[in-house]
Amino acid sequence: MGRTGSWVVRAGVGFWRGVVAAGVCMLVPGVWAAAVGLAVWCGAEHPWSWIGPAVIVCAGTLALAQGVCRAVRSLVARWTGTDIPGGYREAGPVMQLSTGYWWNGFSYERSRRDAVMDQRMRLWWSDPATWRDLRFAVVAPFTAGLVCALPPAALAVAVLGLAGHGTAPRLVGAGALAAAVGSAPYAWRSLRRVAVRFLGPSSAMLLADRVDELTSQRADATVAQAAEIRRIERDLHDGAQARLVALGLSLATAEALMDRDPEQAKALMREARAGATASLTELRELIRGISPPVLSERGLVDAVRALALDVPLDVAVRADGPLRLDPPIESALYFGVAELLTNAAKHAGAHRAHVSLVRDETGVVVEVEDDGRGGAEVRPGGGLAGLRRRLAVFDGTLAVASPPGGPTRVRMGVPCA
């Protein structure tokens, strides 16, 4: 396609997007214009000449503001790929108490319906996003709305001018046509700038979201810590403790048989020695599960290389150099790599894997790629979801790319100085 054809396509697409954007932005002014028309139609002597239009303006603006903002976010995301979060507060659960009343987080109501309605009204009224939407609904028509309406308005002037008689109207029509065609590919882009400026979350909303995120991370960390303590307690109780109790019984029996049956006493002592060796091995494995000695002694890179030797895969480890991080971050990344390699060998049927550890200007990036069957995804309650929660404690991220048939590529990133 030549340059002329490409320009025609861009102009056509831009013209259509400008019409859609202008139509969305001008919905609220359309309500205002209807209210003014009602006031003119009623006349100044009618008692409803200003009360009715004022009610229409207020009610219409309140009713349309959120819908207009949602439509603008959808258009901007579809046309430019820019995702503007809504930032609306979510309603909490409505619970019935033993007294029969319903609690909605704000007040007690006699029925669930009343509790839900009261909750929605209070949440809508106290949500900063509500007033942000109202501000955008008022600002957008006079900024992005006017700019996006330029191509269709210029085209309308061009049609009227070219259809008229005389040189002057036709010159005006030709100029308007040139303005419509020239501005069509660009006018609609103003919608993104205005939306990002006025629909983005405020500092108070970002702070509230951050508080919620930290609260959730603290709860996840508390749950994970409690689960880890229970696991250690269970392993000690069922493993090493049971063997040590049996070891004590064997030694007591051997002591009692030492004079009467030395051979049987020696056999019991040999069994006790084997039990002590097994207990020591279990304790070492338990310590490795808590904090591998090689991780604290030699760092993350050497610990991952040692881990690769124990995995039933052909694992290649690449690192820019030795990485010394805070012990909690090193532990989280180490056990993350261990879990990913275990999943690759156990669930994905992989034969080879590649681990990359890189430090850039933002922090540490660890990528694990395998040649398994793919199809891995983050499911609620699954291992990858738990790994994402553990990394989130350090503001880390987890990205999974695993198309059916493979390969599977998991990227862990943790910001650090």
Side-chain angles (χ1 to χ4, degrees):
M1 182 182 294
R3 292 185 177 180
T4 303
S6 175
W7 176 265
V8 171
V9 172
R10 290 176 58 196
V13 173
F15 182 84
W16 168 249
R17 290 180 177 179
V19 171
V20 174
V24 172
C25 292
M26 294 299 180
L27 283 176
V28 173
V31 174
W32 300 344
V36 172
L38 178 63
V40 173
W41 179 75
C42 291
E45 68 282 354
H46 197 280
W48 283 90
S49 59
W50 64 273
I51 297 179
V55 172
I56 292 176
V57 167
C58 295
T61 303
L62 293 175
L64 293 176
Q66 189 176 110
V68 168
C69 294
R70 291 183 184 274
V72 168
R73 290 192 198 93
S74 177
L75 292 177
V76 171
R78 189 186 312 166
W79 293 344
T80 67
T82 302
D83 185 21
I84 304 176
Y88 299 105
R89 291 181 178 176
E90 296 183 359
V94 177
M95 300 176 294
Q96 187 177 19
L97 305 179
S98 59
T99 58
Y101 284 85
W102 292 81
W103 170 251
N104 59 11
F106 300 96
S107 63
Y108 299 95
E109 302 295 337
R110 292 183 177 274
S111 65
R112 189 180 190 280
R113 176 177 175 274
D114 293 340
V116 171
M117 292 181 61
D118 179 76
Q119 182 190 57
R120 289 178 180 175
M121 182 59 64
R122 290 175 181 266
L123 198 63
W124 179 87
W125 184 260
S126 61
D127 193 352
T130 300
W131 309 107
R132 179 205 58 196
D133 290 353
L134 289 173
R135 181 187 63 178
F136 179 82
V138 174
V139 171
F142 304 103
T143 53
L146 291 178
V147 177
C148 293
L150 177 60
L155 182 61
V157 173
V159 171
L160 294 176
L162 295 176
H165 300 285
T167 304
R170 291 182 179 179
L171 288 177
V172 173
L177 181 61
V181 175
S183 62
Y186 309 105
W188 65 272
R189 300 181 185 274
S190 62
L191 182 66
R192 175 188 174 277
R193 298 187 180 91
V194 176
V196 170
R197 170 64 179 82
F198 291 98
L199 281 184
S202 63
S203 57
M205 297 169 62
L206 291 175
L207 180 59
D209 292 341
R210 182 60 175 165
V211 170
D212 294 340
E213 181 182 357
L214 291 177
T215 302
S216 176
Q217 291 177 3
R218 183 182 64 181
D220 290 337
T222 303
V223 172
Q225 182 182 24
E228 187 67 12
I229 291 175
R230 288 194 299 269
R231 182 188 70 82
I232 296 172
E233 180 183 6
R234 183 176 61 253
D235 291 345
L236 288 174
H237 182 273
D238 298 340
Q241 179 177 326
R243 290 185 180 275
L244 290 176
V245 170
L247 175 62
L249 294 176
S250 298
L251 290 176
T253 305
E255 182 182 5
L257 294 176
M258 186 65 68
D259 296 331
R260 292 180 299 168
D261 193 348
E263 293 299 326
Q264 187 175 357
K266 292 180 181 180
L268 288 174
M269 294 182 68
R270 286 194 294 269
E271 293 179 3
R273 184 175 60 184
T277 303
S279 299
L280 183 59
T281 302
E282 288 187 1
L283 288 175
R284 286 174 177 171
E285 292 295 330
L286 182 61
I287 293 173
R288 287 187 59 188
I290 299 174
S291 179
V294 66
L295 181 62
S296 57
E297 294 173 1
R298 304 184 60 179
L300 179 62
V301 175
D302 289 338
V304 171
R305 285 173 175 161
L307 174 67
L309 298 176
D310 297 333
V311 177
L313 293 173
D314 183 11
V315 182
V317 180
R318 182 182 68 85
D320 293 341
L323 296 176
R324 297 303 303 186
L325 309 172
D326 291 338
I329 298 179
E330 285 187 337
S331 179
L333 292 176
Y334 173 83
F335 286 108
V337 173
E339 182 169 350
L340 294 175
L341 293 178
T342 301
N343 291 343
K346 184 177 180 181
H347 303 294
H351 301 286
R352 290 183 298 275
H354 182 267
V355 181
S356 172
L357 302 98
V358 180
R359 187 163 190 168
D360 57 16
E361 62 277 3
T362 61
V364 177
V365 177
V366 180
E367 290 189 356
V368 179
E369 182 178 355
D370 65 73
D371 61 350
R373 64 177 64 95
E377 59 183 9
V378 181
R379 299 183 180 90
L384 293 179
L387 178 57
R388 173 173 288 176
R389 289 195 301 271
R390 289 198 297 271
L391 294 176
V393 175
F394 309 101
D395 287 336
T397 58
L398 177 73
V400 181
S402 181
T408 297
R409 184 180 293 106
V410 181
R411 183 181 187 273
M412 298 181 291
V414 178
C416 58

